[in-house]
Amino acid sequence: MTPGNNGASTPEDDDPFGYLYADGQANGAQPPSGGYGYPNSVSRVRAVGERQYGQQPPAAPPGHGQVPPQQGPYGQPNARYAAPETFPGGAPTAQQASTGTGGRGGGRGGRGPNTKGLLIGAVAVVAAVVIGIGVAMLGGDDGDDDGNTDNQAGPTATQSQSSEPSASSSATDDAEKAELPAIDAKALRLSDGMSTASDVEGAQADGGVYVTGFNQVGAKVTWTINGIEEAGTYRLDVRYGIPGKDADATLLVNGKDTTRPLNMKNFGGTPEGDWERGWQTTWATVNLTKGTNTIELACNEGNKCDVVFDQLAISEG
């Protein structure tokens, strides 16, 4: 072998473009059938990631140094450029499917945990909690019915109390009206010639007793009223009886003539002469002072005095 020429299959002759030159063709170079004139090592197309690295080539025979492998003729396997899977115990030639147990997670492309599923689960939990709170709030009344009736009764009691002032005020008014004086006519101070009787049915005074004898000029009944707490205008109510015809009387308050007679007309239109059906009520306004007052009914000239008296009372004017 001459210097500079190590044979026909040396690496320097492994020129992928040798078939284009005369000397290359003389040395047997052929157009590439695999990949760029490297028929054995580079022509094999592998999928990305298929080739495994880290494999060691076979050790040299004992007693020999490391010698570079010799390249064989074109078309023959070359140990120097052989793929690792051609060695004993080399990497498998088929691509291994991902087991999905390493890295950031398996499954589709190793994308990691299913975050969408976790999000849906979290939303479901929150919704369940909100629904539970709503049910608990709606069911609060039931709990009150079981034992805590005070809470349920509280607003009603308060509302009831708020209406009590009206009731209390009404009760006070009624009490004030009840405290205003009233009297049976038989308890009045009578002038001479007057008396009491109970012959006519229908009198409301105690025992059905009424005052008679008023049908004469000069007759007078006097009522002394004590306990008027406030001066002002009041109403004098008089229950009387007539024999089916109109009557009237002079009204004096604290000795003063009111200038208007007490009108005791036949408002019911009862037949003349019928005393039992002639019981009626009239009223007149009077100005009273605080404390003691006197009211007089007198039969003066010009009055129609054919009348009997049953009861008198003072009420709010």
Side-chain angles (χ1 to χ4, degrees), residues 244-256:
K245 57 183 181 179
D246 297 340
D248 58 30
T250 301
L251 173 63
L252 297 93
V253 178
N254 295 325
K256 296 179 179 180

Side-chain angles (χ1 to χ4, degrees), residues 44-54 84-85 91-98:
R44 297 188 180 182
V45 180
R46 300 181 180 84
V48 177
E50 176 182 347
R51 183 163 183 172
Q52 304 295 324
Y53 295 92
E85 60 269 20
T93 59
Q95 184 177 1
Q96 299 297 319
S98 174

Side-chain angles (χ1 to χ4, degrees), residues 240 242 245-248 262-268 278 280 282:
Y240 62 95
I242 52 175
K245 57 183 181 179
D246 297 340
D248 58 30
L262 179 67
N263 189 3
M264 293 178 286
K265 294 179 64 174
N266 182 17
F267 296 108
Q280 301 178 56
T282 189

Side-chain angles (χ1 to χ4, degrees), residues 67-115:
V67 293
Q70 299 295 321
Q71 182 178 1
Y74 283 99
Q76 297 298 324
N78 191 318
R80 180 177 178 88
Y81 299 99
E85 60 269 20
T86 60
F87 295 104
T93 59
Q95 184 177 1
Q96 299 297 319
S98 174
T99 60
T101 58
R104 297 176 57 188
R108 299 173 57 187
R111 292 189 303 170
N114 190 349
T115 56

Side-chain angles (χ1 to χ4, degrees), residues 105-127:
R108 299 173 57 187
R111 292 189 303 170
N114 190 349
T115 56
K116 183 177 180 181
L118 293 177
L119 178 60
I120 294 175
V123 171
V125 171
V126 173

Side-chain angles (χ1 to χ4, degrees), residues 133-149 151-152:
I133 294 174
V135 172
M137 292 177 67
L138 292 175
D141 293 342
D142 295 337
D144 291 340
D145 293 340
D146 293 339
N148 190 12
T149 57
N151 293 335
Q152 179 67 20

